[in-house]
């Protein structure tokens, strides 16, 4: 654990400052969890709190406390933080609210948070506006409420901005061992990434889960991901919230296709942090990672005593990135020997109920299904409800699962298709034997998907978002010229001020031509673009009808294999988001897009392109010519290079369409929004 936070999160002495039930509960929670260190209540008038003698002030404490819970009002909190910092205390939890989070209702909140930071100086603080933390490894709880956890020797760590979600997570009955639960609150000083990095340094922490509302310091998250790679400890995240800033940028197709969440998704993918969409999947993934660590692949198997469950497993995985590979020769031979001739062998497998209660036969069947080529074998077993039924007949499944795990050493999980049908005591028994107790079939398969694959190599440092500006819409011809300087192929073109000049330009370029009205963002919707004009009369007539006072005349690009969109939007929270999508009239229709953050490597761009549905067209669909992938990559790199060199003042770029032919990739249309005060 980093020295800066280790003293706070692993204290030997705890000061509890304040009175009332909140502070009393902190003392009681530490004592009930068996905290072995000293607890020092602090109150100016009380003689004792929760049976412990109280000190009148921080100055009266026998020594500087390692960790302090400050349970007083926001104004007094600032003064007490200053007193603790002066004594060289290890750190503090600032419980009070009414700081920056309340600035919309109370203008004093932001100033008060600034004063709090000044008072803390180099002393670590959590919050303000947070519940604190629970260290289940050492029994140290700076936590003013109930919780549902128990002491553990190792487990996962969870950091969340929400204290209420933290409480709920401690109440889980899934058999997941929690090592730490830490709330970050306003993150005035210690952000989620800083806290997570400190927790990873504890050898007893096996994996890290983050509940994220907003990222904050992007460099800190890059450092967190790098340290996790070095330690071999996986991180998963539950990211909530949408970026209102990104959604506001609706002048282009890029913004509407990428949406407000594209930057967050791209950031997590870049950092190698698996993203989950709900608390159940979040916890089940952490549970899997605690038992097995990351999975080597997405190849899984399922075995159950019901055809309905086998079908449900296959259907549940249908929209997820996991594979149920066909049985190989070894599996087929060993399963046939274990199950006899009456069972149809497949993956997922219904082994029927012939061998139920026969532990040896069940163990042989389970072991036969497991294979070195698989990352996980799922045994589907739902237990009866204990208040009305007996689960004695299910002991055979537990014994066989553990036996198969011991015989093969393979990764194996027991899955209850309904989360409530795996008793907590069974989950604990399985966990202690190295079997993952999954609560919920979909959650189990999502966990396998999230845990699959090798850690990504470290990417280049992010291009950080620049200050937001009120941008100008750069004329299309000028936008293309600037991008052409970086290698983007553009059509031959002339600018014209009148319909007559447009006609003359068309004759100079050669027919067919495209005519575009300048100064219009959504040209097609506004009637400001006409294609395939074959004569001077058609050009001047089209120009007279356009809602524009100047025009761009361009050569028409023929023999297109496909059209793509290349867009870059500055996301104030995450950086510069590069979006690749099906282009032209298909952009909104297909909703076929993928987003990365800049800078992006050639390898990452190639993977992104291949993930698009339109990639099949690019590769030559049904005998048609393939697009020139090298030329497409060159165009994407040209846009990216321009952004890297001209990020200051840039809000958005869009190439739509990029016309992809068998031997070229040409930007037929370009939009650029930026402020050029520096020119």
């Amino acid at each position: 654990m980093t020295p800066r936070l280790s003293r706070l999160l692993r204290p030997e002495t705890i000061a509890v400052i304040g009175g009332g039930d909140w502070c009393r509960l902190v003392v009681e929670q530490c004592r009930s969890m068996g905290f072995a260190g000293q607890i020092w209540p602090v109150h100016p008038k009380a003689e004792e709190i929760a049976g412990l003698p109280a000190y009148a002030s921080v100055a009266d404490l026998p020594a500087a406390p390692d960790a302090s819970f400050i349970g007083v009002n926001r104004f007094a909190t600032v003064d007490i933080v200053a007193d603790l910092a002066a004594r060289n205390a290890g750190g503090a939890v600032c419980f009070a609210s009414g700081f920056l989070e309340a600035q919309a209702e109370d203008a004093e909140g932001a100033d008060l948070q600034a004063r709090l930071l000044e008072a803390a100086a180099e002393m670590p603080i959590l919050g303000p506006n947070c519940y604190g933390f629970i260290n289940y490894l050492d029994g140290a709880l700076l936590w003013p409420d109930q919780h549902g956890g128990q002491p553990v020797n190792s487990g996962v760590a969870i950091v969340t901005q929400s204290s209420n979600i933290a409480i709920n997570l401690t109440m889980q009955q899934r058999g997941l061992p929690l090592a730490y639960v830490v709330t970050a609150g306003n993150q005035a000083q210690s952000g989620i990434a800083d806290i997570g990095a400190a927790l990873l340094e504890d050898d007893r922490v096996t994996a890290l889960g983050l509940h994220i509302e907003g990222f904050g310091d992007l460099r800190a998250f890059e450092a967190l991901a790098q340290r996790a790679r070095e330690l071999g400890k996986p991180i998963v995240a539950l990211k909530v919230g949408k970026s209102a800033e990104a959604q506001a940028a609706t002048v282009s197709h890029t913004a509407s296709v990428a949406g407000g969440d594209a930057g967050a998704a791209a950031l997590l993918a870049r950092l190698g942090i698996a993203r989950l969409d709900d608390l159940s999947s979040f916890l089940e993934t952490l549970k899997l990672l605690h038992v097995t660590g990351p999975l080597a692949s997405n190849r899984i198997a399922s075995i159950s005593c019901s055809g309905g469950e086998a079908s449900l497993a296959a259907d549940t995985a249908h929209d997820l990135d996991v594979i149920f590979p066909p049985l190989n020769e070894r599996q087929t031979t060993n399963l046939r020997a274990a199950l006899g001739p009456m069972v149809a062998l497949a993956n997922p497998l219904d082994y029927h109920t012939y061998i139920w209660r026969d532990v040896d036969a069940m163990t042989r069947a389970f072991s036969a299904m497991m294979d070195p080529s698989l990352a996980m074998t799922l045994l589907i077993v739902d237990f009866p409800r204990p208040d009305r039924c007996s689960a004695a007949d299910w002991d055979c499944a537990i014994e066989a699962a553990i036996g198969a795990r011991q015989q093969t050493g393979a990764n194996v999980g027991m899955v209850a298709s309904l989360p409530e049908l795996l008793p907590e005591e069974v989950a604990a028994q399985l966990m202690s034997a190295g079997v993952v107790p999954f609560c919920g079939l979909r959650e189990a398969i999502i966990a396998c998907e999230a845990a699959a694959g090798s850690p990504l190599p470290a990417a280049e440092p992010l291009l950080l978002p620049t200050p937001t500006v009120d941008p100008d819409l750069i004329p299309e011809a000028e936008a293309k010229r600037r991008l052409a300087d970086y290698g983007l192929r553009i059509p031959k073109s002339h600018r014209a001020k009148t319909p007559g000049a447009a006609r003359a330009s068309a004759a100079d370029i050669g027919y067919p031509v495209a005519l575009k009205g300048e100064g219009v963002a959504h040209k097609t919707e506004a009637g400001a673009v006409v294609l395939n004009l074959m004569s001077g009369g058609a050009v001047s007539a089209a120009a007279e009808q356009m809602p524009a006072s100047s025009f761009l005349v361009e050569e028409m690009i023929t023999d297109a294999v496909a059209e793509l969109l290349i867009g870059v939007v500055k996301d104030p929270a995450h950086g510069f988001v590069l979006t690749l999508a099906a282009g032209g009239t298909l952009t909104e229709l297909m909703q076929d897009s993928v987003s990365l953050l800049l800078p992006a490597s050639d390898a990452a761009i190639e993977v992104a392109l291949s993930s698009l549905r339109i990639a099949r067209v690019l590769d030559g669909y049904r005998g048609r010519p393939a697009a020139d992938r090298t030329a497409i990559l060159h165009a994407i790199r040209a846009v990216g290079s321009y952004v890297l060199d001209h990020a200051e003042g840039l809000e958005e770029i869009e190439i739509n369409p990029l016309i992809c032919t068998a031997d070229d990739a040409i930007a037929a249309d370009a939009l650029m929004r930026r402020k050029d005060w520096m020119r």
Side-chain angles (χ1 to χ4, degrees):
M1 189 170 289
T2 57
R4 180 178 173 274
L5 285 169
S6 62
R7 191 175 161 202
L8 170 61
L9 296 174
R10 298 180 62 179
E12 295 182 5
T13 56
I14 296 174
V16 182
I17 303 168
D21 289 338
W22 299 115
C23 291
R24 175 183 56 79
L25 278 167
V26 173
V27 175
E28 291 178 353
Q29 297 291 7
C30 283
R31 295 171 78 180
S32 66
M33 195 62 69
F35 178 63
Q38 298 185 65
I39 305 172
W40 300 325
V42 177
H43 194 281
K45 298 179 181 178
E47 293 185 3
E48 59 88 23
I49 292 177
L52 294 177
Y55 296 86
S57 69
V58 169
D60 293 326
L61 292 174
D66 295 325
S68 299
F69 181 88
I70 305 175
V72 299
N73 69 62
R74 57 180 180 161
F75 300 103
T77 294
V78 175
D79 295 333
I80 290 171
V81 164
D83 292 341
L84 288 167
R87 288 209 63 178
N88 196 30
V93 169
C94 300
F95 177 59
S97 59
F99 291 86
L100 188 60
E101 86 286 352
Q103 64 177 336
E105 298 80 23
D106 183 356
E108 193 173 12
D111 177 66
L112 202 60
Q113 185 154 310
R115 289 168 50 198
L116 179 69
L117 284 172
E118 183 180 358
E122 297 300 314
M123 183 185 76
I125 60 171
L126 298 182
N129 186 34
C130 80
Y131 259 38
F133 68 88
I134 303 173
N135 174 347
Y136 286 113
L137 298 163
D138 304 307
L141 290 82
L142 275 73
W143 190 259
D145 206 338
Q146 297 184 91
H147 64 93
Q150 60 185 355
V152 296
N153 295 319
S154 68
V156 304
I158 294 176
V159 187
T160 170
Q161 288 180 245
S162 168
S163 296
N164 206 54
I165 284 180
I167 294 173
N168 297 340
L169 292 176
T170 72
M171 301 296 175
Q172 56 89 23
Q173 300 179 48
R174 299 166 177 265
L176 173 65
L178 299 174
Y180 290 91
V181 176
V182 185
T183 62
N186 289 11
Q187 304 181 80
Q189 181 206 72
S190 301
I192 284 178
D194 300 320
I195 299 167
L199 296 173
L200 285 178
E201 297 295 335
D202 192 322
D203 292 339
R204 301 167 295 177
V205 169
T206 54
L208 176 64
L210 306 176
H211 166 253
I212 305 171
E213 295 173 11
F215 284 96
D217 186 346
L218 296 177
R219 290 285 182 253
F221 275 92
E222 288 180 311
L224 169 66
Q226 177 60 30
R227 187 57 180 152
R229 281 188 288 268
E230 293 168 356
L231 294 171
K233 295 185 179 182
I235 306 174
V236 300
L238 177 64
K239 172 67 178 70
V240 298
K242 306 293 182 181
S243 170
E245 294 85 356
Q247 288 176 330
T250 56
V251 71
S252 72
H253 295 288
T254 301
S256 61
V257 170
D261 200 40
L267 177 60
L268 289 170
R270 184 187 188 93
L271 297 176
I273 298 176
R275 182 180 188 179
L276 288 308
D277 294 325
D278 60 83
L279 288 172
S280 294
S281 300
F282 177 71
L283 291 175
E284 294 306 307
T285 304
L286 284 171
K287 192 191 302 179
L288 183 158
L289 293 170
H290 171 74
V291 177
T292 71
L295 300 182
S297 73
N298 64 346
R299 295 166 58 87
I300 64 175
S302 164
I303 181 169
S304 63
C305 61
S306 163
E309 290 171 342
S311 298
L312 185 61
D315 284 354
T316 299
H318 182 69
D319 62 337
L320 300 173
D321 186 18
V322 295
I323 299 170
F324 283 102
L327 300 176
N328 59 33
E329 184 177 352
R330 185 205 65 80
Q331 289 173 299
T332 301
T333 300
N334 292 345
L335 283 169
R336 182 62 69 207
L339 297 174
M342 300 297 292
V343 175
L345 302 182
N347 180 25
L349 175 66
D350 165 20
Y351 68 89
H352 296 207
T353 55
Y354 304 127
I355 59 173
W356 189 260
R357 300 186 186 87
D358 185 338
V359 173
D360 289 341
M362 293 174 72
T363 303
R364 289 196 302 273
F366 294 171
S367 298
M369 192 64 168
M370 299 171 193
D371 190 79
S373 66
L374 297 172
M376 176 67 70
T377 300
L378 303 175
L379 314 175
I380 302 177
V381 181
D382 284 86
F383 289 76
R385 53 185 297 164
D387 58 336
R388 299 177 186 173
C389 307
S390 168
D393 262 355
W394 276 254
D395 289 346
C396 58
I398 299 172
E399 190 174 344
I402 294 173
R405 159 69 183 166
Q406 292 172 341
Q407 286 184 17
T408 65
N411 292 331
V412 56
M414 182 173 285
V415 184
S417 57
L418 294 176
E420 63 270 26
L421 298 186
L422 183 63
E424 188 173 15
E425 60 272 17
V426 174
Q429 181 182 356
L430 293 168
M431 180 85 72
S432 65
V435 177
V436 187
F438 286 115
C439 298
L441 179 57
R442 182 166 181 82
E443 291 89 337
I445 298 177
I446 288 173
C448 292
E449 176 190 47
S454 303
L456 295 175
E460 291 183 68
L462 279 168
L463 176 60
L464 296 179
T466 54
T468 299
V469 299
D470 182 17
D472 299 318
L473 183 63
I474 304 299
E476 182 182 348
E478 174 63 13
K480 284 180 173 174
R481 183 196 66 76
R482 297 185 189 188
L483 294 169
D485 288 344
Y486 280 79
L488 182 68
R489 276 273 288 115
I490 61 174
K492 291 185 231 178
S493 65
H494 289 169
R495 298 180 71 184
K497 294 293 186 181
T498 66
R503 177 173 182 161
S505 295
D508 184 51
I509 291 171
Y511 298 102
V513 298
L515 180 69
K516 302 174 182 179
E518 291 195 311
V520 181
H522 295 291
K523 291 183 175 64
T524 301
E525 292 85 340
V529 59
V530 181
L531 307 177
N532 286 309
L533 295 171
M534 301 298 295
S535 68
V539 170
S540 57
E544 288 169 357
Q545 297 297 317
M546 275 191 184
S549 58
S550 62
F551 309 94
L552 182 65
V553 186
E554 290 187 333
E555 68 169 316
M556 281 293 303
I557 307 300
T558 57
D559 299 324
V561 172
E563 294 183 346
L564 291 177
L565 175 149
I566 306 171
V568 176
V569 174
K570 184 180 73 181
D571 180 338
H574 309 110
F576 286 83
V577 182
L578 168 67
T579 296
L580 308 176
T585 58
L586 298 179
T587 299
E588 270 83 17
L589 182 63
M590 287 186 64
Q591 292 291 299
D592 181 22
S593 66
V594 62
S595 292
L596 308 166
L597 289 175
L598 293 176
S601 67
D602 287 356
I605 293 171
E606 288 281 11
V607 170
L609 276 174
S610 297
S611 73
L612 295 172
R613 294 195 298 277
I614 203 170
R616 297 173 67 186
V617 178
L618 298 177
D619 293 339
Y621 186 62
R622 292 194 172 183
R624 287 178 56 85
D628 187 335
R629 279 288 192 112
T630 300
I632 295 171
L633 182 62
H634 183 78
I636 297 168
R637 280 202 307 258
V639 175
S641 296
Y642 175 86
V643 175
L644 292 175
D645 286 351
H646 300 278
E648 194 74 24
L650 179 67
E651 292 294 311
E652 186 172 12
I653 292 175
E654 178 177 280
I655 307 299
N656 187 25
L658 179 78
I659 298 178
C660 307
T661 71
D663 55 11
D664 212 342
I666 305 101
D669 199 355
L671 177 147
M672 182 183 293
R673 296 169 63 236
R674 63 169 302 117
K675 179 65 70 175
D676 278 337
W677 64 79
M678 66 286 289
R679 286 181 176 268

